Each structure stands twice: as structure tokens, then as C-alpha cells.
Amino acid sequence: MIYSVDVRIEAPVRDTEVTDRVKDAISNIFPAVEVESEPGRLVGESHELERFSQRLHEQTILDTARREFAKRKDDEGFSFSLKKQAAFKGVVNFSVGSPDELGDIEVHVRVRDPSVDELIDHIAPPTKDGKPIDPADR
């Protein structure tokens, strides 16, 4: 599927953290991101979510991802938060509840093409018994 998205990634960098480690946490999940340092935070942009989608499939957390995307979805896109420490290890761990004391990685996805729902289905397809459902069977 060809899609057109803008992904904005923001992560606070606390005084006790090493900036390069926070940058590594972001790029471990979003390798195509271009990260820039701003006072107290890192900000990055990307236009692809393939590696992120691969991690969701490998970790078999498609249903969890779909629930998190739905919580902060609108007509233009969706947002979600990830734990920095897990991301540093290359693991997708959605931040739910109270934010981590070091702050979370905030991801904002703006979808231009296809629709938001179609992109979500591509990144984290619906499942049955934990396995992705073939689009032809929906």
C-alpha cells in the first residue's frame, strides 16, 4: 500500500538523561526519523511507519495498538505515547495511565492518503484469534 503521512515525534530530555540515548530510543522504533534537538526535548519527523508496523506484528500487539490509536483518533490522524525505556531496547510499549517520570515519546500521525482507518488497518490490521485477518475475508 502506498500512503502519505506526516509523523511528528516528540520526546522530553530530562537533565538526568543522555540526549543520544533518547534519540536512539526514537530511531529504534522509527528508523527513518530525522531528529533535531530543541531546548529540553527532541523533535523528529518521518513519513513512514513500516518498521513500527513490523514491531507491532513481531510483538503480536496489533489489538493493543488498534485500541491505543482509537483513543486519540480524529478525521486527520491519530496520536499515541510510547515508553522511552522500552523503545531504547527496540520494543513498542504503549504508555497508558500516568506518564513516565522521564516523559514519554509522543507520536502524532497526520494522514493525507488513504483514510485514517485504512492506514490503521495497514499498520495494525484487525485480528481473529490473535492473527491478522486477510482483507478479502473482512
Side-chain angles (χ1 to χ4, degrees):
M1 168 187 269
I2 297 174
Y3 56 85
S4 178
V5 298
D6 296 317
V7 183
R8 182 172 173 84
I9 302 161
E10 299 179 32
V13 180
R14 305 290 189 234
D15 292 338
T16 58
E17 294 181 293
V18 177
T19 302
D20 284 346
R21 287 179 60 97
V22 177
K23 186 176 181 179
D24 288 345
I26 294 169
S27 62
N28 284 343
I29 305 298
F30 304 98
V33 71
E34 295 176 24
V35 178
E36 293 183 10
S37 184
E38 294 184 358
R41 69 184 183 150
L42 293 175
V43 177
E45 290 220 2
S46 181
H47 300 285
E48 69 93 10
L49 293 165
E50 289 307 313
R51 178 68 181 134
F52 176 68
S53 178
Q54 287 174 342
R55 296 301 304 146
L56 298 176
H57 283 79
E58 291 166 3
Q59 292 178 227
T60 62
I61 57 171
L62 298 172
D63 292 331
T64 300
R66 292 177 66 80
R67 277 192 303 276
E68 289 304 307
F69 299 161
K71 287 180 185 177
R72 294 168 52 193
K73 178 182 100 163
D74 61 28
D75 292 341
E76 293 184 9
F78 57 97
S79 300
F80 55 92
S81 302
L82 300 173
K83 297 285 187 182
K84 278 196 263 185
Q85 189 170 4
F88 182 73
K89 296 177 182 176
V91 175
V92 173
N93 186 358
F94 291 97
S95 179
V96 293
S98 301
D100 192 85
E101 75 178 54
L102 294 176
D104 297 319
I105 298 171
E106 292 291 329
V107 182
H108 308 280
V109 181
R110 192 173 132 250
V111 183
R112 290 190 304 271
D113 190 45
S115 71
V116 174
D117 289 330
E118 287 174 304
L119 179 67
I120 289 172
D121 285 350
H122 176 70
I123 295 168
T127 65
K128 181 176 181 179
D129 300 325
K131 301 209 182 309
I133 299 170
D134 186 319
D137 294 339
R138 291 186 212 156

